[in-house]
Amino acid sequence: MRVAIVGGGINGVMSAWALRRRGHEVALFERGVLMGATSAASSKLLHGGLRYLEQGDVRQVYEGLHERRWWMQRAPMLTRRVELFLPLYSHAPHGRLALAAGLTAYDLLAGRARLGRHGWWSRGRMPERASGLKPDGLRGAFSYWDAQMDDAALGRWAADRARDDGVVIHENTDVLQIARDGELRTTHDASRFDVIVNVAGPWARALLDASGIASHTQLDLVRGSHLVVNRAIEAGFALNLPSDGRLVFALPHHGRTLVGTTEVRQTLDEPIACSVAEREYLLDAYNTFFVNGIGEADIETTFAGVRPLVDSGKSAHAQRRGETIEVEGRVVSVFGGKWTTSRLLGERVAATVGRLKESS
Ligand SMILES: Cc1cc2nc3c(=O)[nH]c(=O)nc-3n(C[C@H](O)[C@H](O)[C@H](O)COP(=O)(O)OP(=O)(O)OC[C@H]3O[C@@H](n4cnc5c(N)ncnc54)[C@H](O)[C@@H]3O)c2cc1C
């Protein structure tokens, strides 16, 4: 079948690649450059997402942990294991037992894909790489293992593999409209496809609206910002904020520290950029935990992205991260999804297109 993919983020690329491997003729249209939006503005973690266990989303965690291994095995030069410390203070929202249970489950769900066993370090025994935490009320810290990636480079690596296998990629090509019968109109021309896969991330619903195609799915657009600050750290930290119970990461990042992220609802008309309030929030989060505080002058750069979360009527923090796939005529739309699990998302898109082929 002739398949068009709209969107050159990681989900578009992995969908295109999966479809091509199943023998379809695939063209991908990206209005900017590949990995130019959300997929290069992530926290750069390949992970199961410890906090999704709290929401009972065991499947999301299981898939993330196993997909993490897939990326690490395929692209070791763009991925690496990272140790994270989760400090436990007397004011923490979760007790030691609850955290130990969560981390044990995290290790067990990873099975053979586990990168290392979690551990507990009492305050007097904390290793040098976990130093710098404020001592007041500190009981100790858990350590656990996840992985970091260079999201933009890893996404381009995947796009190169897809291109090598025969996916045709058109950058700087805005898709203006799509139709249920497979017609796709770009800034350059119009053509007809057997299937169109709308995987435009935060813009997926807007493209349907502009095309007059109905959808049951509402997207909850939630901006997340990061600071890059001029501190070198060896290990990462998962910081459970006492003020709102959110988890903020401080991660090693090219000899600097990446601090993120935030959750701010936004519309597509607003600029996707870190606001003054978010800068303050992240500086405060860091300074709540570390003795050597940081200020505005320590921020080297900031970046932001918009999570396309499938709206279930919950708070931004509690919305599930999994994807929803919707079919309307010859248009397959994909909403949501995580970077880590984009390969699985691509497989599911290819299976959906396969079913369309059988029924046509
Ligand atoms: C702050 C933040 C932190 C995150 N951290 C992590 C993490 O650590 N680990 C993890 O696994 N996940 C993380 N995620 C989630 C992950 O980054 C996203 O789920 C994923 O990148 C979404 O990819 P996508 O391809 O769907 O969207 P995008 O990367 O946004 O790609 C969509 C593309 O479609 C293009 N497009 C839109 N409309 C059109 C059109 N009409 N015509 C042509 N092209 C169009 C856009 O230009 C864009 O390039 C994070 C997300 C955010 C926001």
Side-chain angles (χ1 to χ4, degrees), residues 214-229:
S215 166
H216 310 298
T217 308
Q218 284 299 337
L219 280 182
D220 186 9
L221 301 177
V222 181
R223 183 173 70 238
S225 294
H226 290 86
L227 312 177
V228 178
V229 297

Side-chain angles (χ1 to χ4, degrees), residues 185-249:
R185 200 155 59 76
T186 73
T187 22
H188 308 309
D189 56 19
S191 38
R192 194 175 292 272
F193 290 85
D194 297 313
V195 178
I196 298 172
V197 182
N198 163 24
V199 60
W203 298 273
R205 178 64 207 248
L207 179 60
L208 293 180
D209 292 346
S211 307
I213 298 176
S215 166
H216 310 298
T217 308
Q218 284 299 337
L219 280 182
D220 186 9
L221 301 177
V222 181
R223 183 173 70 238
S225 294
H226 290 86
L227 312 177
V228 178
V229 297
N230 60 4
R231 296 286 155 93
I233 46 171
E234 214 183 301
F237 292 86
L239 308 167
N240 215 176
L241 295 190
S243 51
D244 57 11
R246 290 190 63 246
L247 210 57
V248 165
F249 291 105

Side-chain angles (χ1 to χ4, degrees), residues 100-130:
L103 287 163
T104 303
Y106 205 65
D107 284 351
L108 288 173
L109 285 168
R112 290 174 56 193
R114 195 178 67 196
L115 298 175
R117 211 183 277 275
H118 81 270
W120 165 254
W121 308 83
S122 57
R123 184 174 154 180
R125 283 182 54 240
M126 301 263 280
E128 182 60 25
R129 57 192 186 285

Side-chain angles (χ1 to χ4, degrees), residues 6-12 29-33 36-39 41-45 47 149 173-175 199-203 207 222 224-226 261 305-308 336-340:
V6 186
I10 193 60
N11 287 328
F29 300 91
E30 164 55 49
R31 72 166 157 219
V33 293
T38 327
S39 297
S42 79
S43 300
K44 307 180 196 306
L45 286 171
H47 63 163
M149 60 170 161
T173 307
D174 199 354
V175 174
V199 60
W203 298 273
L207 179 60
V222 181
S225 294
H226 290 86
T261 174
V306 175
R307 302 174 185 88
K338 290 280 293 177
W339 212 113
T340 309

Side-chain angles (χ1 to χ4, degrees), residues 285-297:
Y286 185 97
N287 292 337
T288 301
F289 289 90
F290 292 100
V291 178
N292 285 326
I294 50 172
E296 273 292 327

